């Protein structure tokens, strides 16, 4: 796979490394005041008539959120540009290097991207009222440039028609059993922000030796973290080593023969922030869309149809889903991911030969 023309390390040359481990930490806080949705904002957004949303959210979910926004605010069209998180980052880097300002609002499953964009000074501080009122401090930037639109964990899974529950792997260690050779599907950190983050957390907690052993299992390599659940559902592989929890929820709820496993070692925690850009071509529509994304309406929609975890207290989880607080999670560290991303991609690609 091709490396980005402008890598994150290139962008950060000459910058001081982040001292804090969290992407939401800041030395000096200068958050803007909370911004309610006003008639004036709606009118200004309607005059612009559109908003451009770059995202790594699964396309059906992004499109449903877009349609809900369009229904609520007639006359404002949402153009969804969906691809993997690493490609979203690459595209914005290339566009801005060429002084092309096409994106209004961005969402990425790699929280480390927001470190780069914030340090480059290209994010527009904007604090939706719901974020100011209801979101935990660890899930909103103190300077008001981004906040967690969605959260989830990276999980193991299996096809219930091909694997009995008692035989299914319960841990990452069990995936190394020879009985799973040629039966595992896995996503790639050079494409997926979820897998980039998960690979860092797992290499830190389990060691690169784990991936060296897993690479010998003749793994089917796919791109997006949405792909392994789909391969399981189709029966192309019986077990997945990683994948989005939310895609597994979606597959299960539509009757696919799949089941989630939360690894005994802990599941990698992923957060996907939203932000808007200073050079957004539709700044008022961008603000309105950003506010909508954090509203109970949009957050409930992303939970119900997308299987995503919301930080908004008004959102109710569907029955049957394991409560987020009961899941053993690995610790996220976006700043470390930022510093090690190119090393992670290179080492992973060498091990898996892709």
């Amino acid at each position: 796979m091709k490396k980005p023309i402008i890598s994150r390390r290139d962008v950060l040359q000459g910058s001081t490394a982040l001292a804090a481990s969290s992407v939401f930490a800041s030395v000096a806080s200068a958050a803007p005041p909370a911004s309610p949705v006003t008639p004036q904002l709606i009118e200004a957004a309607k005059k612009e008539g559109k908003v451009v949303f770059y995202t790594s959210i699964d396309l059906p979910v992004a499109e449903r959120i877009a349609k809900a926004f369009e229904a609520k605010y007639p006359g404002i069209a949402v153009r969804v540009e969906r691809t993997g998180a690493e490609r979203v980052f690459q595209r914005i880097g290339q566009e801005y290097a060429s002084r092309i300002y096409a994106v209004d609002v961005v969402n990425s499953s790699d929280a480390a991207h927001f470190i780069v964009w914030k340090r480059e000074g290209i994010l527009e501080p904007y604090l939706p009222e719901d974020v100011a009122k209801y979101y935990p401090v660890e899930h909103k930037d103190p300077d008001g440039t981004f906040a967690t639109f969605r959260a989830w964990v990276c999980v193991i899974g299996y096809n219930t028609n091909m694997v009995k529950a008692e035989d299914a792997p319960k841990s990452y260690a069990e995936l190394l059993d020879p009985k799973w050779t040629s039966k595992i599907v896995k996503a790639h950190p050079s494409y997926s922000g979820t897998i980039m983050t998960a690979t860092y957390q797992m290499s830190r907690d389990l060691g690169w030796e784990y991936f060296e052993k897993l690479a010998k299992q003749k793994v089917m390599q796919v791109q997006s973290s949405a792909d392994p659940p789909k391969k399981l559902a189709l029966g192309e592989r019986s077990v997945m080593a990683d994948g989005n929890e939310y895609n597994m929820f979606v597959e299960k709820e539509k009757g696919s023969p799949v089941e989630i496993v939360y690894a005994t070692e802990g599941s990698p925690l992923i957060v996907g922030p939203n932000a808007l850009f200073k050079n957004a071509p539709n700044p008022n529509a961008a603000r309105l869309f950003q506010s909508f994304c954090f509203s109970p309406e949009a957050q409930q929609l992303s939970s119900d149809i997308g299987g995503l975890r919301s930080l908004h207290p008004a959102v109710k989880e569907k029955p049957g889903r394991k409560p987020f607080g009961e899941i053993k999670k690995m610790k996220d560290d976006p700043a470390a991911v930022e510093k090690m991303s190119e090393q992670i991609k290179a080492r992973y690609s060498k091990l898996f030969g892709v």
Side-chain angles (χ1 to χ4, degrees):
M1 295 187 182
K2 293 182 180 179
K3 292 184 179 179
I5 291 174
I6 300 174
S7 74
R8 290 184 285 199
R9 293 187 70 85
D10 292 334
V11 177
L12 285 172
Q13 285 292 327
S15 296
T16 303
L18 288 182
S21 64
S22 171
V23 70
F24 297 95
S26 179
V27 175
S29 178
S35 296
V37 172
T38 64
Q40 292 80 9
L41 177 62
I42 296 171
E43 185 61 29
K46 286 185 174 181
K47 287 180 180 177
E48 293 168 352
K50 66 178 180 180
V51 61
V52 180
F53 184 39
Y54 286 11
T55 182
S56 59
I57 300 172
D58 220 14
L59 185 58
V61 181
E63 289 182 336
R64 283 288 298 273
I65 292 170
K67 290 184 185 304
F69 176 83
E70 291 171 344
K72 186 168 185 175
Y73 301 108
I76 309 173
V78 181
R79 193 174 89 219
V80 175
E81 297 282 349
R82 195 275 166 193
T83 189
E86 298 305 305
R87 292 186 182 177
V88 168
F89 180 82
Q90 176 184 347
R91 178 176 178 178
I92 291 173
Q94 291 171 337
E95 288 179 349
Y96 267 66
S98 302
R99 299 179 183 271
I100 297 172
Y101 307 123
V103 58
D104 290 306
V105 179
V106 68
N107 172 272
S108 175
S109 56
D110 188 339
H113 292 162
F114 295 81
I115 295 175
V116 175
W117 292 325
K118 182 179 177 181
R119 283 189 171 276
E120 283 294 283
I122 62 176
L123 297 183
E124 176 70 16
Y126 180 73
L127 187 60
E129 196 168 43
D130 278 283
V131 174
K133 285 184 177 180
Y134 303 116
Y135 277 63
V137 66
E138 63 270 24
H139 286 283
K140 54 188 176 186
D141 173 43
D143 300 314
T145 59
F146 54 87
T148 297
F149 169 70
R150 54 184 176 133
W152 64 101
V153 287
C154 191
V155 296
I156 297 173
Y158 64 96
N159 181 300
T160 57
N161 289 339
M162 302 170 76
V163 180
K164 295 179 180 179
E166 59 268 28
D167 297 331
K170 305 299 189 296
S171 66
Y172 290 114
E174 290 183 20
L175 290 175
L176 304 179
D177 191 309
K179 72 179 181 180
W180 301 121
T181 302
S182 300
K183 297 179 180 179
I184 299 172
V185 60
K186 189 183 183 311
H188 202 293
S190 289
Y191 180 90
S192 168
T194 292
I195 305 305
M196 168 61 73
T197 299
T199 303
Y200 166 73
Q201 293 180 26
M202 292 170 65
S203 64
R204 177 197 62 201
D205 293 1
L206 308 179
W208 275 103
E209 296 82 3
Y210 168 75
F211 288 106
E212 290 171 5
K213 294 174 182 176
L214 185 65
K216 297 175 182 177
Q217 289 286 66
K218 299 181 180 178
V219 172
M220 173 191 277
Q221 185 69 63
V222 292
Q223 291 186 328
S224 171
S225 55
D227 292 338
K230 295 171 185 176
K231 296 295 184 183
L232 276 194
L234 293 169
E236 292 186 28
R237 283 293 187 273
S238 57
V239 173
M240 71 178 198
D242 55 29
N244 285 327
E245 176 195 44
Y246 59 84
N247 287 110
M248 289 292 281
F249 284 148
V250 171
E251 290 293 343
K252 282 186 67 176
E253 289 166 9
K254 70 180 184 183
S256 298
V258 299
E259 189 56 72
I260 294 171
V261 174
Y262 297 100
T264 56
E265 297 96 337
S267 298
L269 171 64
I270 321 292
V271 297
N274 259 33
L276 54 92
F277 288 89
K278 286 182 178 178
N279 288 318
N282 307 290
N284 293 295
R287 291 181 177 90
L288 187 62
F289 185 72
Q290 179 79 330
S291 288
F292 178 76
C293 283
F294 289 97
S295 69
E297 178 184 354
Q299 288 288 302
Q300 189 68 59
L301 188 64
S302 68
S303 175
D304 288 346
I305 68 160
L308 294 160
R309 306 290 190 158
S310 173
L311 282 305
H312 201 302
V315 172
K316 306 299 180 186
E317 294 268 8
K318 275 188 177 181
R321 294 179 182 172
K322 187 168 185 174
F324 204 42
E326 293 180 11
I327 299 169
K328 181 181 179 182
K329 308 177 193 69
M330 294 182 178
K331 186 179 183 299
D332 63 329
D333 191 347
V337 174
E338 174 53 44
K339 288 185 283 187
M340 298 181 66
S341 62
E342 298 306 313
Q343 177 185 335
I344 289 169
K345 290 177 187 178
R347 191 162 184 178
Y348 184 95
S349 294
K350 184 177 180 180
L351 285 175
F352 286 85
V354 287

